[in-house]
Amino acid sequence: MSDDMQTVAEQQRQYWNSPVGERWVSNQATLDGMFVPLTEALIEYAEIKPGEKILDVGCGAGTTTRILAAKAGADGRVFGVDISTALLSAAKAQAGDGPLEFFEGDAGSAILPMENADLIISRFGVMFFADTARAFSHMRKVLNPGGRLCFVCWGPLQDNPWFQMPLDVIAERLGPIEPITPRAPGPLAFAQTDYVEEFLGRARFGNIEIKTRDMQLICRHGPSEIAGFLMEFGPGARVLATLDVDEETRQQLIVDLTERVTAFKEKEGVRIPASLHYVRATNSS
Ligand SMILES: C[S@@+](CC[C@H](N)C(=O)[O-])C[C@H]1O[C@@H](n2cnc3c(N)ncnc32)[C@H](O)[C@@H]1O
């Protein structure tokens, strides 16, 4: 890895080990609740069979790892890998005694504690690598010949209003902000499907399939709570972290955002339209 790439990898490690990791832990139940339909779709798309060996990349607090362990059953084996100490501690604390284990390290470069895996899977945990093609090539080596890769990631910014709205509110109150660099590590890094095909091809994955799905997620919290949440996670939070914003301005931004979020309020909760890419491929070497 070049010096520049090492710097990016170290920045990501620091980011996920900053208070961001703790915030994910304390909000995991909310996120998991919102993500139920997209997680069910991912698990179905992965076509998991009992007895499989599975690597869950960027497993965070282990929600998907536990689902995978239940699917793989007593004869299966599931490893969760992540770079965040806080999130992995939460994962280990909830692991129970299923066939699952956790490992701390950069999935794109660390020696991974698995070989002859049947499946590499991820819910939003693979968009943060310094050198994406190299990272996927590295991970592919733990797969059986013909082994599967399956992950879900976010589609384009303009189709994910919940990422766009915080950015709009920040720009309106504080002035123009730097546009998000396409393909740069972050939640929207894989928004362009031609890029996903390109780096998977370079990493020697074959049978690449990308399905873009529009989903309506539901959050049962109130609009102001959600607005606060959107200033703590995702692109809005990342931009805000680069600006010198005092607490009063931050609160004002939350008020601005609450007004927009309220427009999505419905009887069963606040509706969150989401555009997602579901990606599948196989180890072709
Ligand atoms: C958006 S969170 C998703 C967490 C979890 N998959 C979920 O859906 O709840 C992204 C996760 O990827 C992890 N991560 C980021 N870069 C990583 C890397 N290079 N290797 C392993 N994990 C990484 C972060 O620490 C974080 O837990």
Side-chain angles (χ1 to χ4, degrees):
M1 220 190 287
S2 70
D3 287 354
D4 281 356
M5 294 295 182
Q6 264 173 15
T7 308
V8 175
E10 179 52 23
Q11 282 167 349
Q12 285 297 321
R13 200 192 61 75
Q14 285 179 12
Y15 176 80
W16 290 104
N17 282 287
S18 72
V20 169
E22 299 288 350
R23 281 208 295 270
W24 265 85
V25 172
S26 44
N27 287 285
Q28 193 67 43
T30 302
L31 291 163
D32 285 339
M34 276 164 47
F35 291 167
V36 165
L38 69 84
T39 306
E40 285 173 355
L42 175 68
I43 299 294
E44 193 182 318
Y45 198 42
E47 297 180 345
I48 297 154
K49 290 172 269 311
E52 287 201 318
K53 282 170 80 174
I54 305 171
L55 182 69
D56 185 5
V57 176
C59 64
T63 308
T64 47
T65 328
R66 292 190 294 280
I67 298 171
L68 295 164
K71 287 267 169 201
D75 294 335
R77 200 155 158 239
V78 183
F79 263 102
V81 57
D82 204 284
I83 44 167
S84 166
T85 308
L87 279 154
L88 275 180
S89 302
K92 286 175 191 163
Q94 299 170 80
D97 36 341
L100 73 170
E101 290 173 64
F102 293 97
F103 170 78
E104 185 170 333
D106 182 336
S109 56
I111 297 170
L112 297 168
M114 194 167 236
E115 51 187 26
N116 299 321
D118 301 292
L119 172 68
I120 294 174
I121 190 166
S122 183
R123 181 181 83 174
F124 302 136
V126 282
M127 302 92 84
F128 308 97
F129 296 118
D131 183 335
T132 302
R134 193 181 167 128
F136 274 83
S137 172
H138 175 75
M139 294 190 291
R140 184 186 51 72
K141 293 182 185 125
V142 305
L143 280 176
N144 275 327
R148 288 122 57 220
L149 168 74
C150 183
F151 64 86
V152 62
C153 59
W154 298 101
L157 179 62
Q158 68 271 16
D159 298 334
N160 282 293
W162 287 63
F163 284 160
Q164 182 71 63
M165 284 190 307
L167 298 176
D168 291 347
V169 160
I170 294 169
E172 278 164 30
R173 190 162 281 275
L174 304 177
I177 53 176
E178 289 281 316
I180 293 175
T181 311
R183 306 178 178 188
L188 294 161
F190 296 175
Q192 300 169 347
T193 52
D194 55 346
Y195 172 54
V196 177
E197 279 180 34
E198 183 252 315
F199 73 69
L200 287 180
R202 279 173 52 209
R204 293 180 40 207
F205 279 96
N207 303 312
I208 301 163
E209 178 185 85
I210 305 177
K211 287 191 175 164
T212 301
R213 294 184 59 171
D214 293 325
M215 286 197 183
Q216 304 294 326
L217 310 179
I218 295 289
C219 186
R220 298 190 197 284
H221 292 280
S224 64
E225 208 176 337
I226 295 174
F229 189 74
L230 288 173
M231 288 298 180
E232 292 200 342
F233 294 97
R238 283 175 182 248
V239 169
L240 210 52
T242 65
L243 304 171
D244 194 14
V245 171
D246 59 31
E247 188 50 28
E248 195 184 334
T249 311
R250 220 181 87 79
Q251 290 305 326
Q252 196 52 59
L253 288 167
I254 294 175
V255 171
D256 297 347
L257 189 53
T258 301
E259 205 174 296
R260 295 185 184 217
V261 171
T262 304
F264 291 82
K265 195 164 167 7
E266 294 183 357
K267 213 162 55 196
E268 71 274 33
V270 176
R271 187 173 52 85
I272 304 173
S275 170
L276 302 156
H277 298 320
Y278 282 82
V279 181
R280 267 196 318 204
T282 54
N283 177 10
S284 62
S285 65

